[in-house]
Amino acid sequence: LRIIIGLAVGVLLGVTVPTLPGIGLMGDLFVGALKGIAPVLVFFLIMAAVSHYQKGSETHFGSVIVLYLTATLLSAFAAVGASYAFPVRLDLTKVAKTAASGPKDLGTVLTDLFNNAVTNPFQAVASGNYLAILFWALMIGFALRLTSVQTRQVITDLSEAITNVAQTVIQFAPFGIAGLVFKTVSTKGLAGIARYGQLVALLVGTMAFVYLV
């Protein structure tokens, strides 16, 4: 409900006072805060979970991996099918330039994939490289199993503290959404919002299909 109110306020301000300073900044700050805290959160959550794993305990890890890979593959098929069935055109010039300079063969893709996985862990957290974050969090988590209970508890406490910070950031979502919508309406007009609205409807509809079907 608060996010819907934020959307309405953003549209209203974008239409009535499109030059009002500071409103769009709320959206930039919210996105920046999310992008900043999310990699740190993932790193510590995985590390804490793996460090408390006890050999012989029932985890169903193999089943989880199989279900995850299968669900991801089916979700990818659903997303591609939906994008062809309900095409939405957006002006994303930076994405087009990036796609044009992308790798052209599978070998290059796999090489880049493995190189990204072993990036410096601090650099990975700073840049949001989730593949490297996952790799190093698993490695450090397994290494932490050899440490004392007190050390592992410190890691768990840190992960809980970072989770609380992330939840606090998410509480500001209505303000961030209002700022982002205001910025879009003031620069692209209501037509821009309509196109983004179509994209959101397509995304939510596809997610609902994957979730329910």
Side-chain angles (χ1 to χ4, degrees):
L1 179 60
R2 288 185 293 163
I3 289 177
I4 293 174
I5 294 172
L7 283 168
V9 170
V11 172
L12 181 63
L13 292 176
V15 171
T16 56
V17 283
T19 59
L20 188 66
I23 304 298
L25 180 62
M26 294 193 303
D28 296 334
L29 290 175
F30 176 70
V31 172
L34 276 182
K35 290 171 67 176
I37 196 64
V40 183
L41 176 64
V42 172
F43 183 73
F44 274 92
L45 281 178
I46 294 175
M47 193 164 53
V50 174
S51 67
H52 284 281
Y53 170 73
Q54 299 295 327
K55 189 175 181 180
S57 60
E58 192 70 25
T59 61
H60 304 288
F61 193 71
S63 300
V64 170
I65 293 297
V66 171
L67 286 171
Y68 176 78
L69 293 176
T70 304
T72 302
L73 179 63
L74 295 177
S75 299
F77 279 122
V80 172
S83 69
Y84 277 102
F86 307 98
V88 178
R89 297 185 62 86
L90 294 175
D91 184 19
L92 302 173
T93 53
K94 292 183 179 180
V95 174
K97 292 178 182 177
T98 303
S101 61
K104 304 300 181 184
D105 59 273
L106 182 61
T108 305
V109 172
L110 292 175
T111 300
D112 292 342
L113 189 69
F114 290 126
N115 284 331
N116 283 333
V118 293
T119 301
N120 182 287
F122 296 103
Q123 181 183 346
V125 172
S127 62
N129 181 355
Y130 285 94
L131 182 62
I133 289 171
L134 176 62
F135 174 77
W136 289 116
L138 288 171
M139 294 292 290
I140 297 173
F142 280 117
L144 284 170
R145 292 173 56 197
L146 304 176
T147 61
S148 64
V149 176
Q150 290 79 6
T151 301
R152 283 177 281 165
Q153 186 58 45
V154 168
I155 299 298
T156 301
D157 292 340
L158 278 172
S159 69
E160 291 177 356
I162 296 169
T163 300
N164 290 332
V165 173
Q167 290 173 342
T168 301
V169 170
I170 292 172
Q171 293 302 314
F172 289 92
F175 298 97
I177 294 296
L180 292 171
V181 171
F182 169 84
K183 196 172 182 180
T184 302
V185 172
S186 60
T187 55
K188 298 182 180 295
L190 291 176
I193 281 292
R195 285 194 296 273
Y196 283 111
Q198 292 174 348
L199 179 61
V200 170
L202 179 62
L203 287 170
V204 174
T206 307
M207 291 165 66
F209 174 81
V210 170
Y211 181 75
L212 298 173
V213 178

